[in-house]
Amino acid sequence: MNRDQLLKLGGQLDGVELVEYPDQWPVKGTRAERRAERVVALWFAIAGLAGLAFVVGLIWWPWQYQAPGQSGTFLYSLYTPVLGVTLGLTVLGLGVGILLYTKKFVPQELAVQQRHDGDGDGSAEIDKKTIVAHLEDAGARSTIARRSLIKRSVGFAGGTLGLGLVALPVASFIKDPWKDSNGPDSLWHTPWQKRFPGEVVYMRRNTGKPDEVVLLRPEDLDAGGLETVFPFRESDRSDPEALTSIFLRSDAPVMLIRLRPGDAERVVKRKGQEDFNFGEYYAYTKVCSHVGCPVSLYEQQTNRLLCPCHQSQFDVLHYCKPIFGPATRALAQLPITVNDEGYLVARHDFIEAVGPAFWERKQ
Ligand code: FES
């Protein structure tokens, strides 16, 4: 039996009566038909171009953070909108193209079927054949086989969307995080790293004015006090951009804590970091070891630091090891001292990466 015969038989066996089954374009090649085809292809082409723009934007658009006032801020601020608009347009184009194609070219049949109960044995062979014939007929009558313009445009749109979906997870591997792990901008180091041997990295107060440099001396902090400090080096003093950008580095802020004299005597130091403090002054990264929120609440009476994101608590008297909440790693400690001028300075960078416990995983 050919497809038409199987189609008819399938309808009879199922008790389906085709009330209407019109050909969408009974006269082939009319201007209206060609116009409909071009409109469908246009939407798929839009989807394809938008998908291509998404991939290009994802990889090459300037995505690195630029603070307000810095050059490139405007382009940076467009990164997320560009990705959202292009990906949205891709999905929209594909959706509208498919809808229009269904409306214009797929036969709109009107069929009536009497309901019947199955006997639990699954579909009979003849039912399977007739349903396949039915699907083939729908495909053939939708004329997709001879519409190369639509096939090419939908292939283009689907291809670029697929490329975008592949590019999303792959893009994160384009920059190798393991490369240059000694560099100042690597994930293993912070701005507290000395740029050359002997460089002095001071502790700086954030006064809210980037060009106002206030360095800290031990007497600036009361017993039981905490202050968030940032690194400062003399070579940055006349560089407004460097003075501003240090406040934008997420790994720069450090909590400088001055313990009360009675508490200082009870401190348990971390093995290998016994000389990281200066008297009762201790410095810990502000980056929470759970998922990186800023730890900022200091409870003086219990000597605990609290991260407001998920309530992790760190015991300051025990090298800031976690004692409550989801964090499982102690906060990284910055080794500090006081230089000849009487200022608090970092002896060197942290000896471990700051942030989540991921960094303790072995490669
Ligand atoms: S980020 Fe600090 S507890 Fe989750």
Side-chain angles (χ1 to χ4, degrees):
M1 272 196 233
N2 62 24
R3 192 182 71 214
D4 285 340
Q5 290 167 326
L6 282 168
L7 186 66
K8 204 168 172 187
L9 176 63
Q12 287 167 355
L13 289 174
D14 281 346
V16 175
E17 184 193 349
L18 272 181
V19 181
E20 282 178 26
Y21 198 24
D23 191 333
Q24 293 283 73
W25 302 98
V27 182
K28 309 295 175 204
T30 60
R31 287 178 63 185
E33 183 188 6
R34 289 202 301 274
R35 190 167 55 242
E37 186 174 5
R38 282 197 298 271
V39 169
V40 171
L42 177 68
W43 276 103
F44 286 138
I46 289 172
L49 289 172
L52 205 57
F54 171 78
V55 174
V56 170
L58 179 71
I59 297 173
W60 284 291
W61 196 273
W63 53 269
Q64 279 163 316
Y65 178 73
Q66 303 293 333
Q70 286 184 315
S71 64
T73 307
F74 179 65
L75 281 183
Y76 162 75
S77 69
L78 291 180
Y79 182 60
T80 304
V82 162
L83 295 189
V85 167
T86 51
L87 187 59
L89 209 51
T90 309
V91 176
L92 180 77
L94 269 175
V96 173
I98 291 169
L99 271 179
L100 283 179
Y101 185 79
T102 309
K103 197 158 176 259
K104 298 283 182 190
F105 297 103
V106 174
Q108 311 293 312
E109 67 177 35
L110 181 60
V112 178
Q113 180 180 23
Q114 302 306 320
R115 184 172 179 165
H116 59 273
D117 297 326
D119 55 10
D121 295 335
S123 303
E125 199 53 36
I126 190 68
D127 290 334
K128 292 177 188 167
K129 282 196 170 146
T130 51
I131 193 67
V132 169
H134 202 82
L135 291 173
E136 283 178 357
D137 180 71
R141 290 186 47 128
S142 74
T143 62
I144 188 68
R146 62 185 176 85
R147 300 203 183 274
S148 57
L149 182 61
I150 289 181
K151 278 196 289 188
R152 283 201 296 269
S153 59
V154 79
F156 174 52
T160 56
L161 181 63
L163 198 61
L165 294 179
V166 169
L168 265 177
V170 169
S172 54
F173 294 106
I174 289 177
K175 188 176 177 188
D176 181 2
W178 303 98
K179 198 174 157 197
D180 188 27
S181 52
N182 283 324
D185 292 327
S186 75
L187 296 170
W188 281 260
H189 287 284
T190 71
W192 293 95
Q193 185 187 31
K194 293 180 195 291
R195 292 175 186 158
F196 54 85
E199 185 187 37
V200 181
V201 183
Y202 296 89
M203 294 190 148
R204 176 189 177 189
R205 184 172 265 163
N206 183 3
T207 62
K209 298 177 191 159
D211 53 349
E212 183 180 48
V213 178
V214 178
L215 305 180
L216 274 171
R217 295 173 182 273
E219 57 270 26
D220 293 331
L221 203 59
D222 291 333
L226 177 150
E227 176 144 4
T228 300
V229 295
F230 293 81
F232 170 77
R233 34 190 45 98
E234 279 301 336
S235 53
D236 289 347
R237 191 177 284 275
S238 52
D239 183 345
E241 193 168 328
L243 291 176
T244 304
S245 62
I246 200 62
F247 294 117
L248 305 172
R249 284 281 300 249
S250 58
D251 53 356
V254 154
M255 294 173 289
L256 176 67
I257 300 166
R258 181 176 179 182
L259 296 177
R260 294 173 299 181
D263 294 332
E265 290 161 15
R266 297 190 288 124
V267 167
V268 176
K269 295 182 181 174
R270 197 168 181 180
K271 197 161 174 271
Q273 301 184 14
E274 291 85 354
D275 59 349
F276 275 24
N277 61 303
F278 176 76
E280 63 263 40
Y281 297 84
Y282 289 77
Y284 292 97
T285 177
K286 206 175 174 70
V287 185
C288 181
S289 59
H290 177 217
V291 289
C293 284
V295 179
S296 44
L297 303 173
Y298 177 43
E299 195 177 58
Q300 191 193 76
Q301 295 303 315
T302 57
N303 284 295
R304 289 183 182 188
L305 285 164
L306 174 78
C307 176
C309 281
H310 313 101
Q311 282 70 54
S312 284
Q313 292 180 23
F314 303 88
D315 185 352
V316 178
L317 299 189
H318 280 80
Y319 53 86
C320 273
K321 70 174 184 181
I323 51 171
F324 182 82
T328 57
R329 181 193 187 205
L331 297 178
Q333 187 174 359
L334 183 73
I336 57 171
T337 188
V338 168
N339 72 353
D340 298 342
E341 306 164 284
Y343 290 112
L344 283 156
V345 297
R347 287 172 46 207
H348 51 76
D349 196 7
F350 295 92
I351 59 170
E352 56 189 327
V354 300
F358 163 78
W359 305 111
E360 288 182 350
R361 284 174 48 180
K362 301 283 176 269
Q363 280 189 56

